[in-house]
Amino acid sequence: MKNTYLVFDIETRPLPLETIKAKGLMPTFKPPANIKDPEKIKAREAEHESDVMEKAALDPLLSTVCAVGVIYGDGEMFEWVVDRNTLSFAEEEVRLHWIWNHMRHCFNDQGRIVGFNTHGFDIPYLINRSWILDVPICESVLKGKWFSEYSYDLADKWRVGRKDSYVSLDRLAKAMNVGQKSGNGKDFAALLDTDFGKAIDYLRNDLTLTLKIAQRMGVVDL
């Protein structure tokens, strides 16, 4: 087995509510037919917007890639690119180009792309954001409408064909006794703004856990 691999992870942050509204991206709000009071309708609309923003980081129409991290080669090389709360689309384009270039180099070396829930979230999200910002994707990550056989989603591999057998990175890492997460991904964007060093440590820890699980599963060499 070649020892060339790229373990990667992304983190996302919601666009500001004002930007979402200005771009006309807020999902349509329809007040209940039985509510006529303008103040109650306004309150329901505020609840609707709050619910949307709570999940916005998972929607490529309503959020951006705020961080990308990779571990590659022999597990010693850790690199990352993040924003510093600029919410700049130009800077997001840089992050997208950066991760796609890493993937191209890995595929050119006949290596393996490895992540956790990357087929369920990370890669589709990166592709969607790249289409939105007109950034060329790494075509090698796809094979028709499916993923390349050299792209390994450890969460998917864990299922062993069982569609309803999802496990989180934290639980699987604990079960395998290789460590545990140092926080929650939904808090990453706020952490990036308030404690940059801790945010980078969180990203690196997630990547390290993913690498250790990949080694246990035999996806990459020990």
Side-chain angles (χ1 to χ4, degrees):
M1 182 187 300
K2 280 183 72 71
N3 196 31
T4 302
Y5 57 81
L6 179 77
V7 179
F8 82 100
D9 187 29
I10 70 170
E11 300 293 342
T12 65
R13 75 157 82 228
L15 291 167
L17 178 60
E18 298 75 16
T19 301
I20 291 173
K21 286 184 173 180
K23 287 179 168 289
L25 297 175
M26 178 61 68
T28 302
F29 167 71
K30 293 183 179 180
N34 63 330
I35 297 181
K36 306 299 181 183
D37 186 295
E39 290 303 314
K40 290 183 178 179
I41 291 175
K42 187 175 181 180
R44 286 296 185 93
E45 185 172 14
E47 289 178 8
H48 167 72
E49 291 177 354
S50 178
D51 290 341
V52 169
M53 294 306 294
E54 179 72 20
K55 303 172 183 175
L58 301 178
D59 187 335
L61 292 174
L62 306 179
S63 56
T64 69
V65 179
C66 67
V68 184
V70 299
I71 291 178
Y72 57 91
D74 58 4
E76 296 300 319
M77 300 298 293
F78 166 64
E79 291 186 356
W80 43 264
V81 285
V82 301
D83 75 32
R84 299 302 297 268
N85 201 24
T86 62
L87 291 173
S88 165
F89 292 121
E91 289 194 8
E92 186 185 13
E93 289 179 17
V94 169
R95 287 186 284 282
L96 292 170
H97 279 292
W98 186 87
I99 187 58
W100 291 133
N101 284 337
H102 269 296
M103 289 189 184
R104 288 187 190 98
H105 287 309
C106 187
F107 281 121
N108 287 341
D109 290 337
Q110 298 181 311
R112 299 177 172 205
I113 306 297
V114 183
F116 199 90
N117 198 32
T118 45
H119 292 175
F121 178 71
D122 301 62
I123 293 176
Y125 185 98
L126 288 170
I127 291 173
N128 290 162
R129 289 304 299 169
S130 296
W131 285 342
I132 288 171
L133 296 176
D134 197 22
V135 173
I137 72 169
C138 172
E139 296 287 351
S140 298
V141 80
L142 298 174
K143 188 174 183 179
K145 66 178 181 179
W146 308 110
F147 296 98
S148 164
E149 63 267 43
Y150 299 108
S151 176
Y152 288 79
D153 177 351
L154 302 182
D156 189 44
K157 188 174 179 64
W158 170 259
R159 294 185 182 95
V160 197
R162 299 164 298 176
K163 294 182 179 180
D164 59 348
S165 184
Y166 177 77
V167 66
S168 68
L169 176 64
D170 188 51
R171 289 186 67 210
L172 188 54
K174 288 175 179 175
M176 291 184 174
N177 199 32
V178 296
Q180 64 184 54
K181 285 177 66 72
S182 59
N184 193 310
K186 70 178 183 179
D187 302 322
F188 181 86
L191 188 63
L192 192 60
D193 299 335
T194 58
D195 193 333
F196 183 77
K198 192 171 182 180
I200 298 306
D201 287 343
Y202 169 86
L203 179 60
R204 182 168 192 161
N205 183 64
D206 269 14
L207 288 165
T208 300
L209 295 178
T210 302
L211 174 58
K212 289 180 178 179
I213 291 171
Q215 291 169 335
R216 184 68 62 84
M217 288 182 169
V219 172
V220 302
D221 290 341
L222 294 172

